[in-house]
Amino acid sequence: MVRHEMTDRTNGGHVSEVLIERYALGQQVSPEAEWAVEAHLEGCALCRAKLAEVVRSDAPAVSAVVDSVWSRVDSLVDSSVDAEVARRPKALGHNRFAAWLSTWAPPAMVPWVGMSVLVTAIALLCDLTGAFGFDRPSMLLLLSPVLPLFGVAAAWTRGLDPAWELVAPTPRSGLYLVLRRTLSVLVVVLPALVVAGLIAGTSPALGLVPCLAFTAGTLALGGFVGVTRASIALGGLWCLFVVGPALVRTRLPAAFEPWAMPIWGAVAVLAAAALVMRASAFTKLTSQR
């Protein structure tokens, strides 16, 4: 009954013009119909336009009040912004820089990127002090492929980013934003790996190429299961089946031999191709939990 009262079937199921007019002018409308009209107006731009037209033509007093309120709000906002700029120009510039920086690495990612750098420093310390014995393979080299995954895990995930629901629907979100944030992780972690490798006396290339392959593979797998889950899965498997056995056998795995570097490069290229093919997965609001 309410549905019949609210909609006009000859008009595609929209609110009837009669009901819109009664609703706009405050005339007698049943509570059920009023609730249904308001619920329909939230998702129907056509009916909202009809309502605005009725208000302008049949209720000029209401339209005048609305216009005066918006005018007052605009003046208050402009005056407060001008006062803030005059009072704290440096802080405003800092806020602009922080806003720009947040497009590359939001605050939620900072502790995770810092974790990657911290683990890099700990691995370097283990190599320099021989914490696992001087005949053990380099911990820095063993962990280098998965060190960026701490930051990558927070690049596109609802659970680790408090502002995810605000950022995800924006036009430049999705794969574009994921790649920007991942690049911000690599810009910090890769130089740290290079410097640590030079200090430890290991070849940086032996760790950097697998590192890039793991990063691309994580993002590609993240298109199916979520970036955080992909990071945990790949990082856990690497530590379980490569790092652990290497420490037990006291020798470097074949994955770090020079002949394995082209294979890692091919893996990175294939993962990047798969990532591009699954780009649409990063634009779904229901994904990346």
Side-chain angles (χ1 to χ4, degrees):
M1 181 176 182
V2 173
R3 184 69 178 177
H4 177 72
E5 181 184 0
M6 185 193 78
T7 61
D8 183 357
R9 296 188 179 181
T10 63
N11 194 28
H14 295 286
V15 180
S16 64
E17 294 182 1
V18 174
L19 186 53
I20 285 182
E21 183 175 359
R22 292 169 57 190
Y23 175 80
L25 300 179
Q27 297 176 357
Q28 183 65 32
V29 179
S30 66
E32 295 82 3
E34 183 177 356
W35 175 86
V37 169
E38 292 176 351
H40 179 81
L41 288 173
E42 289 181 359
C44 182
L46 179 61
C47 290
R48 290 197 301 269
K50 291 180 180 179
L51 176 64
E53 184 178 352
V54 171
V55 170
R56 283 194 300 268
S57 61
D58 297 345
V62 175
S63 182
V65 171
V66 172
D67 292 340
S68 64
V69 169
W70 276 115
S71 177
R72 179 61 176 166
V73 169
D74 290 339
S75 63
L76 289 175
V77 171
D78 292 340
S79 61
S80 63
V81 170
D82 292 340
E84 184 68 17
V85 171
R87 185 169 61 253
R88 294 194 303 168
K90 293 183 178 179
L92 183 61
H94 174 74
N95 291 337
R96 288 175 179 172
F97 174 76
W100 173 83
L101 185 62
S102 66
T103 63
W104 289 87
M109 282 183 60
V110 174
W112 296 95
V113 177
M115 182 66 71
S116 296
V117 177
L118 178 61
V119 174
T120 301
I122 293 175
L124 174 62
L125 184 63
C126 291
D127 287 352
L128 295 178
T129 60
F132 292 91
F134 287 101
D135 56 342
R136 304 290 184 185
S138 169
M139 282 296 299
L140 179 64
L141 195 56
L142 288 175
L143 294 178
S144 58
V146 296
L147 285 177
L149 299 190
F150 291 101
V152 174
W156 189 246
T157 174
R158 176 179 301 185
L160 299 180
D161 187 358
W164 187 89
E165 292 184 354
L166 298 177
V167 175
T170 58
R172 302 185 72 181
S173 65
L175 182 59
Y176 172 80
L177 189 59
V178 173
L179 294 179
R180 284 170 64 99
R181 292 181 173 183
T182 302
L183 180 60
S184 69
V185 175
L186 296 178
V187 165
V188 175
V189 176
L190 292 187
L193 283 174
V194 171
V195 173
L198 294 175
I199 296 175
T202 61
S203 174
L206 294 180
L208 293 182
V209 180
C211 176
L212 294 176
F214 258 86
T215 301
T218 297
L219 296 180
L221 182 59
F224 295 92
V225 301
V227 177
T228 302
R229 294 173 181 171
S231 300
I232 295 174
L234 293 182
L237 290 174
W238 177 260
C239 292
L240 181 63
F241 292 104
V242 178
V243 177
L247 293 177
V248 174
R249 297 171 184 172
T250 68
R251 58 189 175 92
L252 202 62
F256 293 102
E257 295 292 337
W259 58 263
M261 296 303 107
I263 299 177
W264 283 114
V267 171
V269 171
L270 292 176
L275 176 62
V276 172
M277 294 177 62
R278 288 283 299 173
S280 60
F282 295 96
T283 61
K284 298 176 181 177
L285 297 181
T286 56
S287 64
Q288 315 304 325
R289 294 182 180 274

